[in-house]
Amino acid sequence: GAGVSQTPSNKVTEKGKYVELRCDPISGHTALYWYRQSLGQGPEFLIYFQGTGAADDSGLPNDRFFAVRPEGSVSTLKIQRTERGDSAVYLCASSTLQGADYNEQFFGPGTRLTVL
Amino acid sequence: GNSVTQMEGPVTLSEEAFLTINCTYTATGYPSLFWYVQYPGEGLQLLLKATKADDKGSNKGFEATYRKETTSFHLEKGSVQVSDSAVYFCARDEDSSYKLIFGSGTRLLVRP
């Protein structure tokens, strides 16, 4: 079946602009996660949803970052007043939270964000 | 700080050599442990996992054993191939949340 998809694959913006990054999880997956990966580093957790609600948003760096999942499927990560330090690959993942593989996270290809 | 520590790369091996990539973790509880792999130009994929102490995860010739006494989850393969060249990430989950905490990654380069 289809995996996790993310759009756009690349986004170049100017400092101070607003951006939205979209994630389509695997159909039926309850949980959806956002991570950020800087060059040469491992992914860093941002936020995770169970259904429509944010179950853990402890990784969001500041109030410029916000994410929604209004219908419990697609999620959008929103970044206001972008800064050069926000440049990274933003990864989305989903998992079933059921059965033996409940915590196996399936990752999308990522959105590479560049803030000029 | 980061509670998953893995050896720095790059690790360069010849084909058919033995591979070990060290990973240690800190945790207050009993997390599940994972190895993810990122092949060039591709997304992160789960390679193997272990959910409790002394469990051994295995896949594609790779193995890792959950060692609670040494808080380690070292990745091993007896005979690497050129196609194993990738970046390998060790990770653990959290007791109170399903989020993953990743190490910084180890790049493996296998030469023919």
Side-chain angles (χ1 to χ4, degrees):
Chain A
V4 177
S5 62
Q6 295 185 244
T7 54
S9 54
N10 276 285
K11 177 70 178 178
V12 180
T13 191
E14 293 179 343
K15 181 174 178 295
K17 299 289 189 185
Y18 169 82
V19 296
E20 289 189 352
L21 312 179
R22 176 188 166 109
C23 172
D24 259 288
I26 292 173
S27 177
H29 277 194
T30 304
L32 183 147
Y33 312 78
W34 284 99
Y35 295 85
R36 178 168 71 173
Q37 187 174 19
S38 300
L39 192 63
Q41 298 298 314
E44 289 181 292
F45 170 77
L46 295 176
I47 185 172
Y48 116 82
F49 292 87
Q50 277 197 22
T52 60
D56 184 348
D57 64 358
S58 61
L60 294 178
N62 51 60
D63 61 6
R64 295 187 297 106
F65 288 75
F66 190 71
V68 294
R69 194 185 186 201
E71 296 177 0
S73 178
V74 170
S75 177
T76 304
L77 179 66
K78 309 180 181 198
I79 311 175
Q80 298 178 320
R81 305 183 303 280
T82 51
E83 299 178 357
R84 292 195 180 89
D86 298 336
S87 297
V89 176
Y90 288 81
L91 297 172
C92 177
S94 68
S95 66
T96 67
L97 297 187
Q98 294 176 9
D101 295 326
Y102 72 96
N103 60 356
E104 178 175 343
Q105 295 185 23
F106 294 83
F107 282 80
T111 293
R112 181 177 299 279
L113 175 65
T114 303
V115 182
L116 302 176
Chain B
N2 197 336
S3 59
V4 177
T5 304
Q6 58 183 110
M7 61 191 288
E8 288 192 22
V11 173
T12 304
L13 296 173
S14 297
E15 205 165 23
E16 299 184 4
F18 183 84
L19 168 72
T20 301
I21 300 178
N22 290 340
C23 172
T24 57
Y25 66 93
T26 55
T28 53
Y30 302 97
S32 293
L33 303 174
F34 307 82
W35 277 99
Y36 277 80
V37 59
Q38 194 167 33
Y39 296 105
E42 298 185 18
L44 272 172
Q45 303 173 28
L46 179 66
L47 180 59
L48 54 83
K49 71 176 186 182
T51 55
K52 61 184 188 297
D54 299 325
D55 265 4
K56 179 186 284 188
S58 60
N59 187 24
K60 299 182 181 180
F62 291 88
E63 291 183 341
T65 301
Y66 190 141
R67 301 283 188 206
K68 180 168 165 289
E69 63 277 10
T70 53
T71 62
S72 65
F73 193 55
H74 305 322
L75 183 68
E76 296 183 335
K77 186 173 186 182
S79 175
V80 293
Q81 305 300 311
V82 172
S83 58
D84 293 327
S85 298
V87 182
Y88 292 81
F89 294 92
C90 185
R92 70 162 178 85
D93 66 5
E94 286 260 295
D95 281 348
S96 57
S97 162
Y98 294 110
K99 68 186 181 189
L100 293 177
I101 298 173
F102 286 86
S104 56
T106 303
R107 181 175 298 277
L108 171 66
L109 177 60
V110 181
R111 300 190 182 281

